[in-house]
Amino acid sequence: MAKNFSSVTPQSLSGKNTPTTAPTNGKVASEPASTGRGSGRRKQLVYGLGAVILVALVVLMVGLLTRGGDDEQGGTPQAPHGPSQIVDGVPSGYTRDKGGAATAAVNFLQADDKAMAGQLDIANVEKALVAENPSPKLVSILDSARDRQVTGDTFTTLPATVTVRSLSADAADVSVWALGSGSLNSNAAGDKASVATWGTADLHLVWADRDWKVQDYAFRVGPQPGQETTSASDSSQVESGYYSFFVN
């Protein structure tokens, strides 16, 4: 129901004993206009508080996003272990630690794949990734990739697990269990056949010329997925990371 406020006086609205001017012509005298100082201050306080809250929310969101990546790595920011450069399609420049040795081993296998397909000069691979005194087994592998012509075949090593069996300041033993997959010419007509094989490469690396270099290399087929091969005496931990490079 509507209420009649015609008899309400200004002092009853404000609750203050503010004197009013009696009507002289049947009309209520108007009150002095408000200066607006109180409302202006309230607006400034409201706007200021809003700005503070907005800045705090932005800082909080940035902090959460930044800290989120660190928390997944145990609170420690992770940095790449290499390569730091790629010259003539061959990667090099690795950190002197487990991650650097692991990455160098995988990148050597992938560079050798490209050399076998005639897509890289094996001499450049030797210069960047092979030690000065390679083992006879490694020499044989390198020689098989020498003077290769481009045939259109593709083959690459896709690491499933990379394990650093031993590590010192000057040497590392790395085992790479990987899927070797590719596409090869199956006949003179140029028909392609897909190939895939599981195998393990064992590499011995040395630290020379401020980088990891492969000194020895051995390969064996398997194990196949699903085979249990871990023994109780093997305490080596599989490395976790990305081990690949892409160069056309």
Side-chain angles (χ1 to χ4, degrees):
M1 179 181 294
K3 296 183 180 181
N4 184 4
F5 292 98
S6 60
S7 62
V8 179
T9 64
Q11 61 196 79
S12 65
L13 285 174
S14 63
K16 299 179 181 179
N17 295 324
T18 304
T20 59
T21 303
T24 58
N25 55 358
K27 296 182 181 180
V28 178
S30 60
E31 290 186 323
S34 174
T35 61
R37 292 181 179 177
S39 60
R41 290 180 179 178
R42 285 194 295 271
K43 289 182 180 180
Q44 291 178 356
L45 288 175
V46 171
Y47 293 155
L49 181 59
V52 171
I53 294 175
L54 179 60
V55 172
L57 288 175
V58 171
V59 172
L60 177 62
M61 290 300 296
V62 172
L64 289 175
L65 291 174
T66 304
R67 190 168 60 248
D70 295 345
D71 289 344
E72 294 176 0
Q73 302 293 338
T76 302
Q78 302 297 299
H81 295 279
S84 62
Q85 63 179 355
I86 298 178
V87 179
D88 296 325
V90 183
S92 62
Y94 301 94
T95 54
R96 198 173 187 175
D97 53 19
K98 291 177 65 176
T103 309
V106 173
N107 285 175
F108 166 79
L109 296 175
Q110 294 175 327
D112 182 64
D113 290 338
K114 293 180 73 67
M116 291 290 291
Q119 298 171 341
L120 277 182
D121 188 342
I122 194 63
N124 294 330
V125 177
E126 289 179 289
K127 180 179 179 181
L129 299 175
V130 177
E132 291 185 357
N133 52 342
S135 69
K137 288 183 179 179
L138 180 55
V139 171
S140 176
I141 294 295
L142 298 172
D143 288 343
S144 66
R146 210 172 301 280
D147 299 325
R148 288 274 183 162
Q149 301 298 317
V150 178
T151 61
D153 295 342
T154 60
F155 194 81
T156 190
T157 297
L158 307 173
T161 61
V162 183
T163 307
V164 179
R165 302 293 183 186
S166 65
L167 178 71
S168 68
D170 300 312
D173 290 298
V174 181
S175 181
V176 181
W177 179 50
L179 172 65
S181 65
S183 177
L184 308 178
N185 289 324
S186 61
N187 53 42
D191 295 329
K192 296 291 185 179
S194 297
V195 296
T197 180
W198 287 92
T200 302
D202 296 310
L203 302 97
H204 179 72
L205 297 89
V206 296
W207 184 262
D209 298 329
R210 302 174 66 180
D211 206 356
W212 288 111
K213 309 283 187 177
V214 179
Q215 188 177 57
D216 192 15
Y217 169 59
F219 176 82
R220 63 184 186 276
V221 176
Q224 300 302 314
Q227 286 184 282
E228 179 64 44
T229 60
T230 303
S231 63
S233 59
D234 186 3
S235 59
S236 301
Q237 182 177 355
V238 172
E239 296 299 301
S240 175
Y242 300 106
Y243 307 98
S244 64
F245 72 99
F246 185 85
V247 180
N248 272 337

